[in-house]
């Protein structure tokens, strides 16, 4: 894979937001993730914190018994929605 911007440069990774190839010059290292420098840094950074925050909240929710029924209701609705969305494509 080559860099999206400099086609003759080998990419070191790809952007988490847009999946473009990034060389060391174009990549912004966000710890264990890469993003387009000055373009998707904020996007990748915010999704990163959002995901880790969601994991933390759901692990807390699982311990609170009063939130569990609503969690299952949400999951049921999500599966139902997924089924409705996928069916027209597979047939
Ligand atoms: Zn990007
Ligand atoms: Zn580059």
């Amino acid at each position: 894979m080559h860099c999206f911007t400099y086609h003759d440069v080998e990419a070191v990774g790809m952007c988490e937001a847009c999946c473009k190839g990034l060389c060391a010059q174009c990549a912004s290292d966000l710890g264990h993730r890469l993003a387009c420098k000055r373009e998707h840094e904020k996007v990748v950074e915010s999704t990163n914190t959002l995901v880790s925050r969601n994991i933390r909240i759901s692990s807390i929710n699982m311990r609170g018994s009063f939130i569990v029924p609503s969690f299952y209701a949400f999951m049921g609705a999500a599966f139902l929605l997924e089924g409705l969305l996928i069916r027209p494509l597979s047939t």
Side-chain angles (χ1 to χ4, degrees):
M1 187 168 65
H2 289 99
C3 173
F4 184 82
T5 314
Y6 308 106
H7 299 278
D8 53 337
V9 182
E10 193 69 29
V12 292
M14 63 183 201
C15 174
E16 287 271 329
C18 65
C19 297
K20 282 177 190 167
L22 301 168
C23 70
Q25 217 182 324
C26 305
S28 178
D29 191 355
L30 303 169
H32 54 289
R33 290 168 147 213
L34 291 175
C36 302
K37 199 167 264 182
R38 287 184 296 274
E39 205 184 331
H40 291 125
E41 283 169 316
K42 287 279 181 295
V43 181
V44 173
E45 223 164 35
S46 61
T47 51
N48 201 7
T49 50
L50 204 74
V51 167
S52 56
R53 198 183 299 150
N54 280 352
I55 291 165
R56 213 178 307 133
I57 288 167
S58 59
S59 65
I60 292 163
N61 284 356
M62 289 305 275
R63 270 179 249 132
S65 56
F66 64 97
I67 301 166
V68 170
S70 60
F71 173 75
Y72 281 113
F74 169 76
M75 288 304 281
F79 279 122
L80 196 76
L81 203 73
E82 199 180 54
L84 290 170
L85 288 171
I86 286 167
R87 210 170 296 145
L89 291 170
S90 57
T91 49

